[in-house]
Amino acid sequence: MIKNKDPDKFKAKSLIIAAELEMQFIINLNPSKESGQTIIGRLYENFRRLGEALMLIRGRESVGQGQHNDNINELLLLTIKTERPIKVLESLKKTRMDINYNGYIPTIDEINDAISIAKTCFNPILEEIKKELDKLWKEQ
């Protein structure tokens, strides 16, 4: 469920910084059978953080079951150019769900694909969200 609230620029900024810092670390990990679950889970979590930050900037909050879906879906609403379509985040979400709820072990190809998604989509999404945050700071 999504509810309207006052924009929270401080929490949004904190989520953005956390996602950016961790993403810089995660994309440089060596893809292996042992690291795959961690890499994919953390990549997904950093996109989810950006989605939550975007919702907070826009004065929206996802509560209850399905929060993660709402956060990722908020990113899918962005109209920005990326080397890969933003919709590819849905495949990352599915793989992460398979890992968390079905004990799935991703292949090296899936891990490399997830890293590719992060390398091609994260920074353009990050920059767009930072622009929205800057506008909010100027308005208030």
Side-chain angles (χ1 to χ4, degrees), residues 1-15:
M1 179 172 90
I2 297 175
K3 65 180 188 176
N4 292 327
K5 61 177 274 171
D6 289 335
D8 188 342
K9 59 189 175 189
F10 296 103
K11 185 173 179 182
K13 183 177 181 180
S14 179
L15 287 165

Side-chain angles (χ1 to χ4, degrees), residues 6 8 15 21 26 38 51 62 82-83 89 106 113 120 124:
D6 289 335
D8 188 342
L15 287 165
L21 284 173
I26 293 296
T38 300
S62 180
T82 56
E83 290 181 38
L89 293 178
D113 186 51
T120 58

Side-chain angles (χ1 to χ4, degrees), residues 69-118:
N69 290 328
D70 293 336
N71 296 153
I72 294 296
N73 290 340
E74 194 73 16
L75 297 177
L76 299 177
L77 299 174
L78 291 171
T79 54
I80 58 172
K81 273 202 166 248
T82 56
E83 290 181 38
R84 294 180 69 177
I86 291 179
K87 288 284 242 181
V88 77
L89 293 178
E90 291 175 340
S91 70
L92 183 62
K93 179 172 67 173
K94 181 187 180 322
T95 305
R96 178 253 177 203
M97 287 180 67
D98 286 344
I99 290 168
N100 282 11
Y101 301 110
N102 300 322
Y104 182 72
I105 298 171
T107 66
I108 297 296
D109 285 342
E110 289 171 315
I111 301 164
N112 286 329
D113 186 51
I115 293 170
S116 171
I117 290 169

Side-chain angles (χ1 to χ4, degrees), residues 17-64:
I17 291 169
E20 188 174 19
L21 284 173
E22 187 177 38
M23 188 62 84
Q24 291 171 4
F25 172 74
I26 293 296
I27 62 171
N28 290 307
L29 291 177
N30 186 30
S32 68
K33 186 176 182 180
E34 295 79 17
S35 67
Q37 295 173 328
T38 300
I39 290 171
I40 291 175
R42 299 315 303 165
L43 293 176
Y44 171 83
E45 178 63 19
N46 289 312
F47 279 108
R48 188 211 57 79
R49 284 178 178 160
L50 289 185
E52 182 179 358
L54 184 58
M55 291 183 81
L56 291 168
I57 292 165
R58 293 176 172 177
R60 298 162 37 102
E61 180 180 37
S62 180
V63 294

